[in-house]
Amino acid sequence: GINAEYMGHGYERVHPNRNGTVSTRPTGAQNAYHDPDGPVQLVVGHAGAIQDELWVKPQPQWSATRYADASQGEIKRTYGYERLTAHNSTHMFGEFVPIEEGLTDVFWIVKSHG
């Protein structure tokens, strides 16, 4: 099945969900999704432009991490990119790599079978 989906602009990691209801949450300090029943969605598109995203407030339950919020003057410099590493057929590691220090997001997708 599909493990991760990429879409563009800003940065947001979205928990697997069905119609806005979270179906799988990560566990542990490394945010491991064990056998998620849907894809982890990644909005990644912030490699060098000022971000003027207007996020829904409050942050919905399905939104794990988000950067680049311009609402109410909260613009953050969030230049960076996502790095995905497939360690083997069952373990994939995702890491937001910021240009400026201070922001971070990491997660694992772990499947019982490859």
Side-chain angles (χ1 to χ4, degrees):
I2 297 172
N3 295 318
E5 292 180 283
Y6 274 95
M7 291 149 263
H9 227 267
Y11 178 81
E12 184 171 29
R13 176 170 47 90
V14 176
H15 299 303
N17 70 85
R18 292 178 190 232
N19 298 320
T21 300
V22 175
S23 57
T24 308
R25 289 194 181 274
T27 59
Q30 291 292 310
N31 293 320
Y33 293 96
H34 293 276
D35 290 315
D37 64 351
V40 175
Q41 299 172 24
L42 300 165
V43 178
V44 182
H46 51 168
I50 294 294
Q51 303 300 306
D52 290 327
E53 307 303 326
L54 299 174
W55 299 108
V56 172
K57 298 254 183 165
Q59 185 171 343
Q61 65 160 340
W62 45 259
S63 176
T65 303
R66 55 171 47 164
Y67 298 130
D69 187 355
S71 65
Q72 302 174 4
E74 298 174 15
I75 296 174
K76 296 178 181 178
R77 292 208 166 260
T78 60
Y79 302 145
Y81 59 94
E82 184 75 17
R83 179 175 19 211
L84 286 179
T85 305
H87 287 273
N88 55 41
S89 65
T90 61
H91 288 70
M92 183 168 66
F93 180 70
E95 174 184 25
F96 168 62
V97 180
I99 300 302
E100 297 181 15
E101 292 185 33
L103 300 176
T104 188
D105 187 41
V106 297
F107 66 93
W108 284 88
I109 298 175
V110 180
K111 299 275 192 150
S112 296
H113 304 287

